[in-house]
Amino acid sequence: MRKLFALLLVAALAVPATALAAPTVEDLQKKIQELSAELEDISDRVDRNGMHAATDRISWYGDMRVKADTLHYKDVTWNPGILVDFDDFGAKAMSGAFGDPADPTSPLGKMLIQNPDLATAFGMGLLSGVGPFAFPGGQKSDINNDILYTTRLRLGMKAKVASNVNFSGRLSMYKNWGDSTGSKVFDSWNSFTMDGTDGGNTTGDWLRVERAYFDWKEIGGSDAYLSIGRRPSTYGPPTQFRENEMRGGTPTGHLVNFNFDGITVGYHLSELTGIEGQTIRFCYGQGFESEWGNGELFNDNSVNTKDTHLGGLNFDALNDGTNFLQFTLFRAMDVNDGFKGVIAFPNQFAALFAPTLYQDLQKFPNFNFVTRVQPSTVIGDINLAGVGFTREEMNGIKWFASVSATQTDSNGKAGMFGGMLSDAVFQAELNADGSEIIMTPARATSSDKEEGYGVYVGLQIPAPAGKLGLEYNYGSEFWTPFTQAQDDMIGSKLATRGQVGEAYYIIDINPNMFIKVGGLYYDYEYTGSGSPVGTPHKIEDVQNGTAFSMLPAVDKAWDGYASLTVQF
């Protein structure tokens, strides 16, 4: 544009004087100034229009939620302990592998001095079979966090790549007020910061890519489509009602609320079957990368993990705007005894497993070192299946029911926290320099298949200025869904082995703003909710000392909350 006006200016000045009235020098200078100002204005407008056209290629939207929770835990019990193969321990001790038990400087002598009860049983020959080795603990208390503030910001984006290709993504920030450390002291599986749960875990004041994928629709003029990227696998039906938003994810939220990367191949069946909204999808994803970034070049044989792959079918049998019927079936293959993640190491674990380290940590009681954690071994596979139905009545009432089941297939292996729904059996070994006896997981207590089930029902009815919601869910002893990214502060309610009731009231301020006030009541029956690792022990058994739990076990808890959400 600048070149065009410059040429026009030169041409004007080049016109023979006989063809124009002879201008004065002042006239020419004024004309040049006017043309320069006009050129600058046009250039600015061209730049603005160009920028507008470029940014319009991505359409932004989002929401921001500010929330206050009051959290109360009843009878929290920490009763740590492990199961030890005492036949193996006795054989090694009697062979002299651990040194002279009467020598207080030998590995065995030091261990017996530190554990008087073990020394008594050892001296009386009472150690045999697989038995408990209790650690100091047995603490039980009520814990109250009277107020916890959080802010969640989600920025969605869409772009049209071609007539049948779209891009979608979402960035999210989720933090509790006054904290952006990005890590929590590891006192529950809910405090483990990892790839699959970042979207529902308070991690700090930075944006994370929760979703990023493209959709290639109407492939070859058909009703088939392909989608690849970080999947929309959170806030699926029927959990959108309690979120007061549209369906947020593809799979049922009763089984899956977990971020993962993968591929979906789908086909819209409505033209073939005549049933509105009918769609079938094959989904594949990867939940864990076992080699890259895990120190694989050291070729350390002590770590025996594999990539965790997810695959299955998702079938929307009916979706006509009033009724929604969905079937889900998938399998998680080569599940390990954990994920890659970041924790703040609890000093309590040092006291149990690393007494030398604990001697130094006691000097810094308010320090917790942050460490990267990765699993140690494959523990088996998990099958998941579910059916869910929702209906929106003409009078505004919405209701739903979902029934799901999980089945674990253990391979009998275990890491520090256990195997597939089974505890670890530890064996005594000498450390590298032979100065100390350490306990290492050797196998799981069981390789049985275990089946669990979950039920989830809810009702939402119109009420003055908004709507009232009531929900209930139950999970059995071996219930093992992938809902760890659900952002309930106490822990994913839908992963609970026990029962949870929720009541809430949503007040619509305007179409893009609402207040939600409600409460959740948790009644845990078994330990380990939200994790496939370790035996689910009855809470009452942990409380009375007949069962152990390496992480604190909660009996009952409740969460009262109020939030304000703005959508834009």
Side-chain angles (χ1 to χ4, degrees), residues 343-382:
I343 65 168
F345 186 81
N347 293 342
Q348 290 83 353
F349 281 5
L352 303 182
F353 293 101
T356 302
L357 174 63
Y358 186 59
Q359 294 303 314
D360 289 329
L361 290 178
Q362 289 181 79
K363 303 171 186 176
F364 308 96
N366 59 324
F367 283 33
N368 297 92
F369 63 84
V370 175
T371 182
R372 179 185 184 276
V373 179
Q374 66 186 51
S376 60
T377 189
V378 177
I379 59 175
D381 305 319
I382 305 177

Side-chain angles (χ1 to χ4, degrees), residues 244 463-467 505-516:
N244 198 34
K467 53 195 76 99
Y505 199 104
I506 294 174
I507 303 171
D508 296 315
I509 306 301
N510 58 53
N512 297 313
M513 184 176 180
F514 66 88
I515 293 172
K516 182 181 178 185

Side-chain angles (χ1 to χ4, degrees), residues 185-473:
V185 175
F186 184 52
D187 59 1
S188 72
W189 291 108
N190 194 41
S191 62
F192 191 77
T193 302
M194 63 180 184
D195 179 71
T197 63
D198 281 340
N201 192 1
T202 53
T203 54
D205 59 356
W206 55 86
L207 287 170
R208 295 179 180 271
V209 180
E210 182 187 353
R211 302 176 178 184
Y213 60 94
F214 72 83
D215 293 319
W216 180 14
K217 301 174 291 185
E218 300 174 358
I219 299 174
S222 71
D223 287 319
Y225 70 93
L226 171 69
S227 182
I228 302 178
R230 191 156 174 80
R231 309 306 303 148
S233 52
T234 54
Y235 303 100
T239 63
Q240 75 269 23
F241 295 125
R242 68 191 295 253
E243 298 293 328
N244 198 34
E245 60 186 20
M246 301 296 290
R247 175 182 180 180
T250 299
T252 169
H254 191 195
L255 278 176
V256 181
N257 197 319
F258 195 86
N259 300 113
F260 68 92
D261 308 286
I263 301 170
T264 294
V265 179
Y267 197 93
H268 299 296
L269 298 169
S270 297
E271 291 295 325
L272 298 176
T273 64
I275 300 176
E276 188 173 351
Q278 192 171 87
T279 303
I280 190 167
R281 309 172 184 85
F282 170 76
C283 302
Y284 162 80
Q286 182 170 340
F288 174 75
E289 165 57 42
S290 64
E291 294 188 57
W292 185 263
N294 290 357
E296 69 274 11
L297 298 183
F298 287 113
N299 198 24
D300 186 353
N301 293 326
S302 65
V303 177
N304 300 292
T305 57
K306 293 182 180 180
D307 294 351
T308 300
H309 297 280
L310 314 168
L313 294 173
N314 188 272
F315 180 41
D316 291 354
L318 174 64
N319 188 6
D320 61 7
T322 299
N323 304 287
F324 177 75
L325 177 63
Q326 183 184 59
F327 297 88
T328 301
L329 176 67
F330 75 98
R331 180 177 177 88
M333 295 159 283
D334 293 326
V335 176
N336 298 277
D337 63 317
F339 292 88
K340 284 187 275 191
V342 176
I343 65 168
F345 186 81
N347 293 342
Q348 290 83 353
F349 281 5
L352 303 182
F353 293 101
T356 302
L357 174 63
Y358 186 59
Q359 294 303 314
D360 289 329
L361 290 178
Q362 289 181 79
K363 303 171 186 176
F364 308 96
N366 59 324
F367 283 33
N368 297 92
F369 63 84
V370 175
T371 182
R372 179 185 184 276
V373 179
Q374 66 186 51
S376 60
T377 189
V378 177
I379 59 175
D381 305 319
I382 305 177
N383 298 315
L384 304 97
V387 56
F389 178 77
T390 68
R391 179 174 172 83
E392 300 184 24
E393 304 288 355
M394 295 294 292
N395 58 6
I397 294 177
K398 303 172 185 178
W399 59 272
F400 63 84
S402 176
V403 179
S404 298
T406 62
Q407 180 191 64
T408 58
D409 188 2
S410 171
N411 61 9
K413 297 181 180 180
M416 175 181 175
F417 286 92
M420 182 70 78
L421 295 183
S422 57
D423 286 334
V425 176
F426 287 77
Q427 290 184 346
E429 305 284 349
L430 287 176
N431 65 353
D433 63 6
S435 63
E436 181 183 356
I437 296 175
I438 59 175
M439 295 293 180
T440 59
R443 64 184 185 277
T445 55
S446 172
S447 58
D448 295 340
K449 290 185 178 181
E450 303 290 2
E451 297 178 348
Y453 69 92
V455 177
Y456 180 30
V457 295
L459 173 71
Q460 192 179 88
I461 59 177
K467 53 195 76 99
L468 172 68
L470 300 171
E471 295 188 3
Y472 171 83
N473 62 275

